[in-house]
Amino acid sequence: MQTTTLIISGMQDEQCLRLVTNAIQDLPGIGYLEIMLETGEATIEHGNFVSSADIYQAIEDAGFSAR
């Protein structure tokens, strides 16, 4: 498993958090996911067949940005 840590921008409430969480969990091979609403920090463990670019794209498709 690989670990990707990033900061998600634009989340304001629990509904935003659920949207981002669901978008990431819909990717194949997501093992562990923790997102802190207050800071936007996300820690994602994923298999080799999911790249960091895939995760960034899923977040952007959900309407948020990540760095």
Side-chain angles (χ1 to χ4, degrees), residues 4-6 51-61 64 66-67:
T4 299
T5 303
L6 47 85
S51 69
S52 296
D54 295 330
I55 296 169
Y56 281 95
Q57 188 63 52
I59 293 167
E60 289 180 12
D61 288 348
F64 301 91
R67 54 179 167 87

Side-chain angles (χ1 to χ4, degrees), residues 2-60:
Q2 297 179 15
T3 301
T4 299
T5 303
L6 47 85
I7 302 295
I8 301 170
S9 305
M11 294 187 302
Q12 298 176 358
D13 55 25
E14 292 292 326
Q15 182 175 351
C16 294
L17 180 63
R18 277 192 299 276
L19 283 171
V20 173
T21 299
N22 289 340
I24 296 170
Q25 286 180 334
D26 282 348
L27 295 169
I30 300 298
Y32 171 79
L33 171 62
E34 180 180 27
I35 303 172
M36 305 299 293
L37 179 60
E38 299 80 21
T39 63
E41 184 175 348
T43 302
I44 305 142
E45 286 185 3
H46 53 92
N48 293 335
F49 41 85
V50 174
S51 69
S52 296
D54 295 330
I55 296 169
Y56 281 95
Q57 188 63 52
I59 293 167
E60 289 180 12

